[in-house]
């Protein structure tokens, strides 16, 4: 008969063996993937480039052990079809969705995120209709109030007084309230004036607007987003008539495809971009360089935002927060979240706080 002490020793040894084998099995067993839906445009309305789709491909190549599995939902610029993307994703029980839709499309589906069926990370829509809502939408960009106030403050400091604003009416959910915020702030200087030309950037004839563009103006502000090709065309047209006047673009015009269309006007163009602290700017520049080396073109600004959204989800999932409710709770309770391309701070409603905008001459944008 084995002595009692020896029995306990062997029992402990056996338990240790079992524990090591179990741990080994758990380490070898692959972790369950987490589906992430994202929308991707298919339309000639914008200056098409595949930045959003390629950003997800690039992320997975750079993170081969990622548990995230992006699934694309393609759409044209139709609000009913865009809303249908969310419905389809929720019918497939996809827990997370990263959206790149413009404001005019995103607002039609926001009520679908009032419950914890799906958590949306919004990388593009700045409409005030999505601000300060207690829902399941997290925004990694500030709303248009902060954006347009920053732009107006900068333009107020410039010597130019007579400003022409070309506003895209097609994305009115963004541009109408954006113009109201901008004009209210800009016209606080009573020496300044605004001439506003509001029309669809999708369907327009330059002949209909050439007279307004040809009138005396000291500067141009193109109030449009969604990386539309017309932004570059209108900038070049204005430059031909007003070769010495500066031209200002929103952050939603930061696209190589648009810059190519600006042509000789590029030396007069300034793009407003989300401020990057000095310590993160090298990482962003390195990201663009690697992306260009991989895909052969300069991505639009959405590539950075998509990457940040994926990194935020990766952090939550790695800590076991694989449901919309758990991931939201994690992100809202962390204070400032760090990613390789910058930090994000959410308020209690999931809106990004403390972001800044800075003007950047166009040659510095092009890489």
């Amino acid at each position: 008969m084995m002595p009692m002490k020896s029995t306990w020793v062997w029992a402990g040894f056996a338990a240790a063996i079992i524990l090591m084998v179990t741990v080994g099995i758990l380490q070898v067993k692959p972790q369950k993937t987490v589906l992430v839906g994202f929308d991707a445009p298919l339309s000639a309305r914008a200056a098409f480039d595949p930045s959003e789709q390629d950003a997800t491909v690039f992320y997975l190549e750079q993170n081969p052990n990622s548990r995230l599995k992006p699934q694309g939902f393609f759409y044209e610029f139709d609000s009913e079809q865009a809303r249908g993307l969310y419905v389809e994703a929720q019918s497939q029980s996809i827990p997370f969705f990263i959206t790149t839709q413009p404001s005019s499309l995103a607002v039609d589906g926001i009520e679908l995120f009032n419950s914890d069926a799906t958590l949306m990370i919004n990388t593009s829509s700045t409409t005030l209709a999505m601000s300060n809502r207690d829902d399941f939408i997290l925004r990694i960009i500030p709303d248009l109030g902060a954006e347009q106030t920053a732009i107006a403050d900068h333009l107020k400091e410039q010597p130019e007084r007579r400003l022409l604003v070309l506003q895209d009416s097609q994305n009115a959910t963004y541009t109408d309230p954006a113009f109201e915020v901008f004009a209210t702030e800009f016209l606080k200087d009573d020496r300044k004036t605004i001439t506003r030309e509001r029309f669809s950037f999708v369907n327009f004839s330059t002949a209909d607007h050439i007279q307004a563009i040809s009138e005396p103006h000291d500067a141009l502000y193109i109030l449009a987003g969604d990386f539309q090709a017309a932004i570059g065309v209108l900038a070049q047209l204005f430059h031909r008539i007003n070769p010495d006047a500066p031209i200002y673009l929103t952050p939603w015009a930061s696209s190589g495809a648009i810059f190519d269309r600006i042509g000789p006007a590029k030396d007069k163009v300034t793009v407003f971009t989300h401020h990057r602290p000095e310590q993160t700017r090298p990482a962003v520049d390195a990201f663009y360089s690697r992306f260009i080396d991989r895909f052969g073109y300069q991505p639009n600004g959405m590539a950075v935002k998509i990457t940040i959204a994926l990194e935020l989800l990766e952090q939550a999932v790695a800590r076991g927060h694989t449901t919309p409710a758990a991931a939201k709770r994690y992100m809202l309770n962390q204070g400032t979240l760090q990613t390789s391309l910058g930090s994000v701070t959410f308020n209690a409603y999931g809106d990004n706080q403390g972001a800044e905008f800075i003007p950047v001459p166009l040659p510095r944008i092009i890489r």
Side-chain angles (χ1 to χ4, degrees), residues 151-165 179 182-196 216-221 246 248:
I151 295 174
D153 285 344
H154 178 79
L155 266 62
K156 277 194 305 183
E157 296 174 357
Q158 307 311 306
E160 295 81 24
R161 297 184 179 184
R162 298 171 298 179
L163 179 68
L164 173 64
V165 176
F179 178 79
F182 173 83
T184 298
E185 188 64 28
F186 182 74
L187 295 176
K188 287 181 179 178
D189 184 340
D190 56 15
R191 298 171 300 173
K192 307 286 189 179
T193 63
I194 292 177
T195 299
R196 180 190 189 189
H217 303 293
D218 299 324
L220 169 66
Y221 175 34
Y248 299 96

Side-chain angles (χ1 to χ4, degrees), residues 34-39 69-73 89 94-99 118-119 121 310 313:
V34 176
L35 291 175
V36 181
F38 72 96
D39 56 63
K69 184 179 180 181
Q71 178 175 325
F73 290 80
I94 294 178
F96 303 111
F97 202 99
I98 296 174
T99 180
T118 309
L119 177 67
I121 298 184
L310 289 168
L313 281 178

Side-chain angles (χ1 to χ4, degrees), residues 46-52 225-229 231-232 249-263 269 271-273 288 297-303 362 365-367:
F48 179 77
D49 71 52
S51 296
E52 292 93 336
D226 204 24
F227 311 106
Q228 294 192 59
I231 295 172
L249 307 180
T250 72
W252 311 106
S254 180
S255 164
I258 291 175
F259 300 159
D260 289 343
R261 289 164 171 78
I262 287 175
V269 171
V271 181
F272 284 86
T273 184
Y288 275 115
Y297 69 94
Q298 177 186 337
N300 65 40
M302 294 305 302
L362 189 59
I365 291 286
I366 297 177
R367 291 174 172 83

